[in-house]
Amino acid sequence: MRSTFDMIRVQEDAFDVGAELAALSAGRTDIGAVASFTGLVRDFVGQEGGDDSKIAALTLEHYPGMTEKKLAEIEAEANRRWPLQASLIIHRYGRMLPGEPIVLVATASPHRAAALDSCAFLIDWLKTKAPFWKLEEGDGEASWVDARDSDDQAAARWRLPDES
Amino acid sequence: MRSTFDMIRVQEDAFDVGAELAALSAGRTDIGAVASFTGLVRDFVGQEGGDDSKIAALTLEHYPGMTEKKLAEIEAEANRRWPLQASLIIHRYGRMLPGEPIVLVATASPHRAAALDSCAFLIDWLKTKAPFWKLEEGDGEASWVDARDSDDQAAARWRLPDES
Amino acid sequence: MNIRYFAWLRTKVGKAEEEVSPPADVTTVGDLMTWLAADRPGFAEAIGRKGVVRAAVNQDYAEPDHPVKPGDEVAFFPPVTGG
Amino acid sequence: MNIRYFAWLRTKVGKAEEEVSPPADVTTVGDLMTWLAADRPGFAEAIGRKGVVRAAVNQDYAEPDHPVKPGDEVAFFPPVTGG
């Protein structure tokens, strides 16, 4: 099945999740399932209620050119693995405030499992393969976010048997 | 963590996925991840391109009272298993046309894996536990949709070790 | 006892709901199914096919050995297909 | 050769980008890292800590044994943290 709606957007402006999802399936009657994941800036680090770890703003740095290239590769891989009718990745860069969306991935398929699995795949792979770096502003000095082992583990579960 | 936005809606009217998702996280800055699944009426059965299996409309019959009870139980179970900040299940009944939404489930959490997994859990469990029945109208006589083994298998992967 | 039928079982039986007063020896869902089947050929045919009829007592799923008593709401239906 | 630095590696090195002309015996990403480290103390310190610097050649991830040649765009950065 050829996906008829593949889209990658890397942008500074905020976006409207509802409008983006509506566009994904607009005017179509062949889609049975749409899965989406939205990542948002949240106002705390780690466990909820930790009062020493408030986040005032987040700045996303990216590698222009390579970012678009990697996102397109990730989306193409999802389309190879699942019978998708549409897929969408939007990722912002620049400075953003708590409550604002950072990233949206969405997939559409005739069947539920393909939509759900490919959506999880897109965000898990994107986390470890797309060249973005987060800088957190809290009470004190801004600090670069460390990569997490749990992200590598989440991506690893999508590795195919012939990959090392 | 107590979920501060739990909602079950069983309704005949169509709904706006974007507006529902926006409401889920509106005015909040503590949510890091929102996952959603939308099930839509599609205009064909089985494999794409099968011209003998067009769907003109779908009617969902439900068991009023038991439906709400089971959906509330499913949502409560998701909240027991994952640290959710918000969860939403909307399921329609009555007659609907291709392209219209049937069901929306959405979950919010500080962390991506909890949102993604609980969203998949909600739709998988709902499929096998919520008392709805689909009647398809195609070219000829309307026919009741058969339950699928693949739905039982999808639900089974969420069974806890102490369950039979 | 309030009996409810859904989906194709409803069309087989020819009604969505009925009030019944089974004899005292009908104490389980299984007993009730056998008793109902006696003069409801559509229901008898449906329960004759293994695994196609599910039951709920007071809006919770119930196996054939689940007890039933006067005043209960007992529903019969095919496997669910929502979502 | 166009060298690019991102995130805290950019602040360590003190620039986002530079043009360099390494000698002919610099033929791999690893060679280039060693050569760049010679007079960039921030870069030297970063690559001294194991596993914290990643590289890309012409916008694809590259291991230390990956070849580099004049005209390439070579980027160095910490592990990614987007999404």
Side-chain angles (χ1 to χ4, degrees):
Chain A
M1 191 180 314
R2 227 334 271 88
S3 178
T4 56
F5 182 105
D6 297 336
M7 199 157 70
I8 300 291
R9 275 178 19 221
V10 181
Q11 63 184 49
E12 190 157 11
D13 293 336
F15 53 85
D16 178 334
V17 172
E20 300 297 345
L21 290 180
L24 194 79
S25 60
R28 296 183 65 158
T29 55
D30 57 338
I31 292 174
V34 175
S36 81
F37 176 86
T38 309
L40 303 151
V41 183
R42 60 187 165 84
D43 59 10
F44 65 96
V45 175
Q47 295 308 303
E48 196 183 32
D51 58 1
D52 56 346
S53 53
K54 281 284 176 193
I55 299 298
L58 193 65
T59 298
L60 268 286
E61 180 168 331
H62 77 305
Y63 184 171
M66 182 169 170
T67 302
E68 289 80 356
K69 185 178 184 182
K70 291 297 143 193
L71 293 182
E73 288 175 5
I74 292 164
E75 189 176 51
E77 181 64 25
N79 276 277
R80 263 191 297 277
R81 294 189 186 197
W82 289 279
L84 302 183
Q85 295 170 311
S87 57
L88 169 67
I89 303 176
I90 304 176
H91 203 303
R92 290 174 68 196
Y93 59 88
R95 188 169 186 272
M96 45 202 98
L97 301 176
E100 290 187 38
I102 305 166
V103 60
L104 170 66
V105 304
T107 53
S109 173
H111 302 291
R112 156 171 118 268
L116 288 167
D117 290 350
S118 59
C119 177
F121 167 84
L122 284 180
I123 189 66
D124 284 346
W125 266 39
L126 182 160
K127 280 251 174 198
T128 59
K129 294 185 193 292
F132 287 98
W133 301 272
K134 289 196 180 100
L135 179 69
E136 286 175 345
E137 295 171 40
D139 294 334
E141 210 181 346
S143 63
W144 293 98
V145 173
D146 284 329
R148 294 186 311 179
D149 289 343
S150 61
D151 288 334
D152 290 332
Q153 288 152 16
R157 70 193 171 112
W158 299 108
R159 214 173 274 156
L160 296 175
D162 62 336
E163 293 177 313
S164 61
Chain B
M1 187 181 314
R2 227 329 272 93
S3 178
T4 55
F5 182 106
D6 296 336
M7 199 158 69
I8 298 293
R9 273 172 30 217
V10 181
Q11 64 185 47
E12 190 157 9
D13 293 337
F15 54 85
D16 179 334
V17 172
E20 300 296 345
L21 290 180
L24 195 79
S25 61
R28 296 183 66 158
T29 55
D30 58 339
I31 292 174
V34 175
S36 81
F37 176 86
T38 308
L40 303 151
V41 182
R42 59 186 164 86
D43 59 10
F44 66 95
V45 175
Q47 295 309 304
E48 196 183 32
D51 58 0
D52 56 346
S53 54
K54 282 284 173 192
I55 299 297
L58 192 66
T59 298
L60 268 286
E61 180 168 330
H62 78 305
Y63 183 171
M66 183 168 170
T67 301
E68 289 81 355
K69 185 177 183 182
K70 291 299 140 190
L71 292 182
E73 287 174 8
I74 292 165
E75 190 176 52
E77 182 64 25
N79 277 277
R80 264 192 296 276
R81 295 190 186 196
W82 289 278
L84 302 183
Q85 296 169 309
S87 56
L88 168 67
I89 304 176
I90 304 176
H91 203 303
R92 290 174 68 197
Y93 60 87
R95 188 169 186 274
M96 46 202 96
L97 301 176
E100 291 187 39
I102 305 166
V103 60
L104 170 67
V105 304
T107 53
S109 172
H111 303 292
R112 158 172 117 266
L116 287 168
D117 290 350
S118 60
C119 178
F121 167 83
L122 283 180
I123 189 64
D124 284 346
W125 266 39
L126 183 161
K127 281 253 175 195
T128 59
K129 294 185 192 295
F132 286 97
W133 300 273
K134 287 195 182 103
L135 179 69
E136 286 175 346
E137 296 171 41
D139 295 332
E141 210 180 345
S143 63
W144 293 96
V145 173
D146 284 329
R148 293 186 310 178
D149 288 344
S150 60
D151 288 335
D152 290 331
Q153 288 153 16
R157 71 195 170 110
W158 300 108
R159 214 173 273 158
L160 297 174
D162 62 338
E163 292 177 313
S164 60
Chain C
M1 211 175 280
N2 181 241
I3 311 296
R4 310 193 62 173
Y5 306 99
F6 291 94
W8 58 256
L9 196 61
R10 170 176 54 71
T11 63
K12 278 259 185 221
V13 175
K15 62 183 95 176
E17 198 168 346
E18 61 180 321
E19 285 295 327
V20 299
S21 299
D25 64 348
V26 168
T27 61
T28 67
V29 167
D31 295 343
L32 181 62
M33 289 170 78
T34 305
W35 182 77
L36 287 168
D39 53 0
R40 288 166 191 78
F43 189 76
E45 189 200 320
I47 67 171
R49 284 187 276 152
K50 199 151 174 56
V52 298
V53 173
R54 300 280 188 275
V57 175
N58 299 325
Q59 307 191 353
D60 279 317
Y61 292 103
E63 296 298 317
D65 61 356
H66 192 286
V68 293
K69 59 181 190 309
D72 280 351
E73 176 178 305
V74 185
F76 297 102
F77 42 77
V80 302
T81 57
Chain D
M1 214 176 277
N2 180 242
I3 311 295
R4 310 193 60 173
Y5 306 99
F6 291 95
W8 59 257
L9 196 62
R10 171 176 54 71
T11 65
K12 279 260 184 220
V13 176
K15 61 182 96 173
E17 199 167 345
E18 61 180 319
E19 285 296 326
V20 300
S21 300
D25 63 350
V26 169
T27 61
T28 67
V29 168
D31 295 342
L32 180 63
M33 289 169 79
T34 306
W35 182 77
L36 287 168
D39 53 1
R40 291 167 189 77
F43 188 77
E45 189 200 318
I47 68 171
R49 285 187 275 152
K50 199 151 173 58
V52 300
V53 173
R54 300 279 188 275
V57 175
N58 299 326
Q59 308 192 352
D60 279 316
Y61 291 104
E63 296 298 318
D65 61 355
H66 192 286
V68 293
K69 58 182 191 310
D72 280 349
E73 175 178 305
V74 185
F76 297 102
F77 42 77
V80 301
T81 58

